Amino acid sequence: MDEKQLLSIYPKKKYLAITWQVSDNCNFRCPYCNEGNWGGQHKNDDNTELYLKNIKEIIDRYKDQGYEAFKIYFSGGEPTIWKNLIPVAEFFKEYTPNNTVAINTNLSRATEWWEQHYHIFDDVVASFHIEHANQERYFNNSLLLCDKINYCCNKMLMHDERFWEVVAFGEMLKDKLPAYTIEWTPLFDEMTGNAKPWEYQDVRKTEWLNQHQHLEMKHSPNKPWKDSSAVSMARWSDGTDTFVNSNEIILKRQNFFTGWECDIGDAVFINPRGMVSMASCGIFDSVGHILHDISKVHPQTVVCNKYHCVCGTDIIIPKRS
């Protein structure tokens, strides 16, 4: 048990984070991923202008409440195949102050697509799924992005049966990329009540993960750096403050926030059906729909009654013990 305890999570500046699961359309079928992420029932390819109108209204509302920075994080499904991605991302980048445009992708799009669009994105989280990834394309896209955007994270999903192959591929990236951020991510046991980290039967795998909890990084002098305002900090019982690493907090089993105050209104979550909620944890019912009614989307604080917090985008919401 780590003696250092998490006391609070707070923002560098007051910011709104919008996490948008833009569709359930994905070209991968990973065995550890539920059908809600790849079923293809909600592709959401129409209504571009209405999306833009309502996103603008949400941003303006938070600006009026003194919010200084804004972040939008596209996920899916595979968000790069969503037809509205580029117009929505470009609008957000141009309209909001102190903005951060981020995306979680399997990096399967052709390198030519990334050459055309990489300038829109500040942060790219590139999940590596060994059972489906075209490894050559994944590497080539990583090579393109690693010193051109603000933050490119190679998120290595630690497939149980092919664990050491994932390790080998990640080590190859470290050897050949001029700059990198590697995150070794354990799977989560979705069949349990608390979605705890996967119980790897091979003790060597668990020991290896315990030794690789932290991001592994190599910086390039050619890499541009935008000091994002839309970030969260963690305050610890030993008096230190660190940038929030959700994966590390989960591995340390520090993601238990029952009874904490949580500024849940600082995190707008839009699911593939277009339903809007405060955070993705389900503590609140839906507060509207991105195409129909966003009148109830506003800053608010609750006392958390959930057993624990699983989603990385929920963990970074400002909260206090």
Side-chain angles (χ1 to χ4, degrees):
M1 182 75 176
D2 196 313
E3 294 183 2
K4 183 171 69 172
Q5 298 297 306
L6 181 64
L7 300 180
S8 67
I9 292 173
Y10 66 92
K12 282 179 64 177
K13 289 186 175 181
K14 197 172 182 64
Y15 76 93
L16 169 67
I18 299 173
T19 299
W20 195 341
Q21 194 176 356
V22 296
S23 77
D24 63 350
N25 191 23
C26 187
N27 54 329
F28 286 4
R29 298 289 184 273
C30 299
Y32 41 79
C33 185
N34 69 67
E35 190 175 348
N37 295 324
W38 52 258
Q41 300 301 306
H42 307 283
K43 296 184 178 181
N44 305 323
D45 288 337
D46 301 322
N47 301 303
T48 306
E49 293 304 316
L50 190 51
Y51 285 133
L52 299 181
K53 172 183 175 296
N54 287 343
I55 287 293
K56 178 181 181 296
E57 184 175 332
I58 291 172
I59 292 167
D60 290 345
R61 187 176 303 158
Y62 278 76
K63 283 181 182 178
D64 291 344
Q65 292 293 319
Y67 283 68
E68 302 176 77
F70 295 82
K71 178 176 182 177
I72 193 164
Y73 183 68
F74 297 102
S75 69
E78 171 49 40
T80 64
I81 61 179
W82 185 48
K83 292 183 179 180
N84 286 310
L85 175 65
I86 300 305
V88 173
E90 287 181 332
F91 169 80
F92 189 90
K93 196 169 191 68
E94 293 171 2
Y95 186 71
T96 55
N98 298 321
N99 60 68
T100 299
V101 179
I103 189 169
N104 182 11
T105 171
N106 60 31
L107 219 56
S108 61
R109 288 298 294 258
T111 303
E112 291 76 13
W113 187 93
W114 285 104
E115 288 173 339
Q116 182 179 357
H117 298 301
Y118 75 82
H119 65 281
I120 300 171
F121 302 102
D122 302 292
D123 298 351
V124 173
V125 177
S127 299
F128 177 72
H129 305 272
I130 193 166
E131 62 274 49
H132 292 295
N134 179 320
Q135 295 186 22
E136 181 180 4
R137 177 176 292 179
Y138 185 98
F139 172 78
N140 288 337
N141 287 337
S142 297
L143 183 62
L144 170 73
L145 295 170
C146 69
D147 61 0
K148 285 187 171 61
I149 64 171
N150 195 55
Y151 176 77
C152 180
C153 178
N154 296 106
K155 189 176 180 69
M156 314 306 292
L157 276 297
M158 305 309 295
H159 191 289
D160 198 344
E161 295 178 4
R162 303 180 67 178
F163 188 97
W164 301 112
E165 292 179 66
V166 179
V167 171
F169 187 81
E171 292 296 332
M172 181 276 290
L173 294 177
K174 289 166 58 179
D175 182 56
K176 294 187 176 181
L177 294 178
Y180 60 77
T181 299
I182 302 286
E183 180 179 19
W184 309 97
T185 306
L187 304 183
F188 291 89
D189 186 355
E190 293 190 341
M191 298 306 292
T192 68
N194 65 353
K196 63 183 179 180
W198 185 269
E199 296 289 346
Y200 295 93
Q201 297 303 308
D202 186 342
V203 68
R204 295 177 303 162
K205 298 174 183 176
T206 302
E207 291 174 348
W208 192 94
L209 284 169
N210 287 336
Q211 295 167 3
H212 294 79
Q213 294 181 8
H214 303 284
L215 296 177
E216 299 185 29
M217 305 179 74
K218 176 184 177 182
H219 295 289
S220 166
N222 300 321
K223 188 174 184 177
W225 184 254
K226 172 184 173 182
D227 188 15
S228 174
S229 300
V231 296
S232 295
M233 306 294 295
R235 179 156 292 163
W236 300 90
S237 59
D238 65 353
T240 60
D241 288 40
T242 62
F243 288 101
V244 172
N245 179 343
S246 298
N247 193 51
E248 180 182 358
I249 288 173
I250 291 170
L251 284 170
K252 290 179 179 295
R253 305 296 280 169
Q254 295 275 335
N255 54 326
F256 296 81
F257 303 123
T258 305
W260 286 38
E261 281 189 344
C262 179
D263 297 332
I264 199 168
D266 290 9
V268 172
F269 176 72
I270 308 168
N271 75 13
R273 292 178 291 119
M275 305 304 294
V276 182
S277 63
M278 301 290 97
S280 64
C281 62
I283 192 171
F284 262 28
D285 292 332
S286 169
V287 294
H289 192 285
I290 190 59
L291 292 175
H292 306 305
D293 180 16
I294 55 169
S295 60
K296 297 180 182 178
V297 179
H298 59 81
Q300 53 192 295
T301 299
V302 298
V303 176
C304 181
N305 62 10
K306 302 287 288 187
Y307 173 58
H308 79 329
C309 197
V310 176
C311 179
T313 56
D314 289 347
I315 289 172
I316 68 173
I317 297 172
K319 52 180 65 71
R320 300 155 295 280
S321 63

